[in-house]
Amino acid sequence: MSPAMDAPNAPGWLTARPIAHRGLHDRAAGLPENTIGAAEAAIARGYAIECDVQLSADGEAMVFHDEALGRLTGESGRVRERKADDLRRLAVAGSPERVPTLPEFLSAIAGRTPLVVEVKSRHDGDLALARRTAAVVAAYAGPVALKSFDPAVVAALADLAPGLPRGIVAESRQDDPAYAGLTSEARHALAHLLHFAESRPDFLSWRVDDLPNAATHLARLLGRRPVMTWTVRTPDQAERARRHADQMVFEGFRPD
């Protein structure tokens, strides 16, 4: 069976509910992104949750978006330079919320809503975070999917987390500094899903302002891969998501 026609592992719950970007966060209300409080707010409104994980110095998966600590904690340095117990004590955005570990985050959610975990990567071949994330979610009984911008991580998760839905996060323009170390050929492959035969994602997670495009259209039409789209913040983006994707990752409004 060809890669384009194999049956993806994309259960219906993956796109059944709008997905709250980093939880239903509201800094003004004391609920910063990627915190247990933001997750609880999403659960209370019936939304699924998307979160990010970064690796601590001692190998724990921490629920945190940035590599650097400054924007969210006011601390200097990077997540991977601090041990998990140190990170767990840091206040997020001056709130009572602390930086959770992935095991703590899963324990709080306890299967009450679907969770999509984005495994961060520096595109350097390091799979330590992917391995730890896979080990943590292996013991979780609730609906969970894993995704990454890095095709090598998505490919590795097929063996590290067998049976779990795996997705590629992508955008059609690689203008973010995170791509600075990649060759033009690698960026082209990311923009056009040319790594598909190696990564074999079960779903796509594509930037909303880049829809529609050939990669997502063909993935839905021929490959039966659902497309979630990020990050939807405006009515125009919500309409684009409705027309060209199967579910939205949203923030800043309530898609009720």
Side-chain angles (χ1 to χ4, degrees):
M1 186 177 290
S2 70
M5 294 304 294
D6 62 355
N9 177 25
W13 58 255
L14 190 64
T15 55
R17 311 181 196 180
I19 304 164
H21 186 231
R22 307 177 195 171
L24 196 62
H25 59 90
D26 182 348
R27 186 178 290 202
L31 298 173
E33 64 186 63
N34 278 325
T35 61
I36 289 174
E40 291 290 353
I43 292 168
R45 294 295 295 265
Y47 301 127
I49 297 166
E50 184 253 18
C51 75
D52 309 278
V53 288
Q54 296 275 4
L55 193 69
S56 71
D58 50 349
E60 185 57 276
M62 308 300 300
V63 180
F64 201 82
H65 177 270
D66 300 356
E67 283 192 20
L69 291 165
R71 179 177 70 90
L72 289 165
T73 71
E75 296 279 321
S76 61
R78 298 182 179 277
V79 175
R80 63 177 51 243
E81 296 169 345
R82 304 278 193 102
K83 292 184 176 180
D85 281 348
D86 184 15
L87 293 166
R88 291 174 65 243
R89 288 191 287 267
L90 297 181
V92 183
S95 74
E97 297 287 333
R98 297 295 185 264
V99 179
T101 66
L102 182 58
E104 290 171 331
F105 201 70
L106 293 176
S107 179
I109 294 171
R112 290 177 290 163
T113 197
L115 175 66
V116 181
V117 181
E118 181 182 328
V119 181
K120 290 299 185 182
S121 170
R122 295 179 295 177
H123 297 271
D124 59 359
D126 185 351
L127 296 177
L129 178 57
R131 292 191 187 98
R132 177 54 183 162
T133 302
V136 171
V137 299
Y140 184 61
V144 62
L146 304 177
K147 66 178 184 177
S148 178
F149 276 91
D150 189 340
V153 169
V154 178
L157 287 171
D159 294 322
L160 295 172
L164 288 184
R166 301 172 295 113
I168 187 74
V169 192
E171 49 195 328
S172 300
R173 302 183 306 278
Q174 280 66 49
D175 48 14
D176 189 278
Y179 299 108
L182 297 181
T183 65
S184 59
E185 291 81 2
R187 296 186 192 198
H188 182 75
L190 292 176
H192 299 283
L193 205 62
L194 301 184
H195 53 76
F196 183 86
E198 293 77 32
S199 59
R200 298 220 182 169
D202 298 310
F203 65 94
L204 277 57
S205 182
W206 214 277
R207 184 165 64 178
V208 66
D209 290 338
D210 295 335
L211 299 180
N213 62 68
T216 57
H217 180 70
L218 292 175
R220 297 175 79 197
L221 181 66
L222 300 179
R224 305 190 305 282
R225 265 75 178 169
V227 173
M228 61 180 64
T229 189
W230 55 274
T231 300
V232 175
R233 299 182 176 95
T234 70
D236 286 347
Q237 289 174 329
E239 176 59 19
R240 182 172 295 196
R242 187 192 66 78
R243 294 177 58 193
H244 302 294
D246 300 289
Q247 193 50 269
M248 71 174 76
V249 180
F250 73 94
E251 71 175 17
F253 73 105
R254 306 290 184 266
D256 298 324

